[in-house]
């Protein structure tokens, strides 16, 4: 006698209150990796790599944040790091404060990359910076 095993497959559906806010990438701040000032050879990367830091402004709680960026495709490899931004601008960097910043998902699509973030903080809104590394093979 043979036995069968049922496998249940599901996909996650976001069922909590979230806020979506779409913004444009500032193309003046995007730099292509392998450029002479980076000291890296394009031969190291077998494709095109880009790095960009985006200021999402003051936030707290859960957010889905779509960044419109024409070079993104569903095949893009997108790596994101988030953290508390240091004022007055993105060149001042990020810091580790008391708030907990969590990146849950990164979803590259045609012309946009969406991230799902959570900022655990019960006080006033605090600044969110996201660093994007995009590699298009």
């Amino acid at each position: 006698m043979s036995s069968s095993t049922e496998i249940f497959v599901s996909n996650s559906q976001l069922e909590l209150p979230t806020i979506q806010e779409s913004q444009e990438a500032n193309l003046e701040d995007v730099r292509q990796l392998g450029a002479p000032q980076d000291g890296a050879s394009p031969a190291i990367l077998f494709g095109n790599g880009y790095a960009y830091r985006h200021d999402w402004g003051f936030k707290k709680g859960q957010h889905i944040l779509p960044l419109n960026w024409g070079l993104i495709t569903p095949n893009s490899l997108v790596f994101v790091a988030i953290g508390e931004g240091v004022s007055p601008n993105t060149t001042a960097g990020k810091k580790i404060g008391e708030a907990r910043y969590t990146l849950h998902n990164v979803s590259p699509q045609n012309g946009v990359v969406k991230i799902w973030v959570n900022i655990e903080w019960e006080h006033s809104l605090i600044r969110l910076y996201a660093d994007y590394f995009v590699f298009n093979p």
Side-chain angles (χ1 to χ4, degrees):
M1 221 150 97
S2 66
S3 66
S4 64
T5 303
E6 280 189 57
I7 298 175
F8 296 97
V9 178
S10 67
N11 59 9
S12 63
Q13 182 65 29
L14 191 61
E15 295 182 13
L16 48 94
T18 60
I19 301 166
Q20 289 202 33
E21 178 184 331
S22 183
Q23 295 184 4
E24 299 293 323
N26 183 351
L27 299 181
E28 293 175 1
D29 291 340
V30 174
R31 59 187 173 88
Q32 184 169 4
L33 300 180
Q37 69 269 18
D38 290 325
S41 166
I44 295 172
L45 302 172
F46 296 103
N48 295 310
Y50 301 88
Y52 172 62
R53 175 171 287 161
H54 190 77
D55 179 352
W56 281 102
F58 292 94
K59 308 235 176 286
K60 70 178 180 177
Q62 306 246 3
H63 299 270
I64 302 228
L65 302 170
L67 180 67
N68 299 318
W69 195 356
L71 65 83
I72 304 289
T73 72
N75 195 41
S76 296
L77 304 175
V78 181
F79 303 89
V80 180
I82 62 171
E84 185 173 347
V86 177
S87 294
N89 57 47
T90 59
T91 60
K94 295 189 291 187
K95 68 178 182 178
I96 296 177
E98 292 183 35
R100 187 181 314 197
Y101 284 68
T102 309
L103 176 65
H104 295 283
N105 296 99
V106 177
S107 175
Q109 301 166 13
N110 284 320
V112 64
V113 57
K114 294 179 180 181
I115 60 173
W116 174 16
V117 303
N118 183 34
I119 302 171
E120 295 178 44
W121 187 241
E122 300 199 10
H123 306 288
S124 61
L125 301 173
I126 52 178
R127 190 168 292 282
L128 168 65
Y129 286 175
D131 292 329
Y132 295 83
F133 175 77
V134 179
F135 181 73
N136 285 327

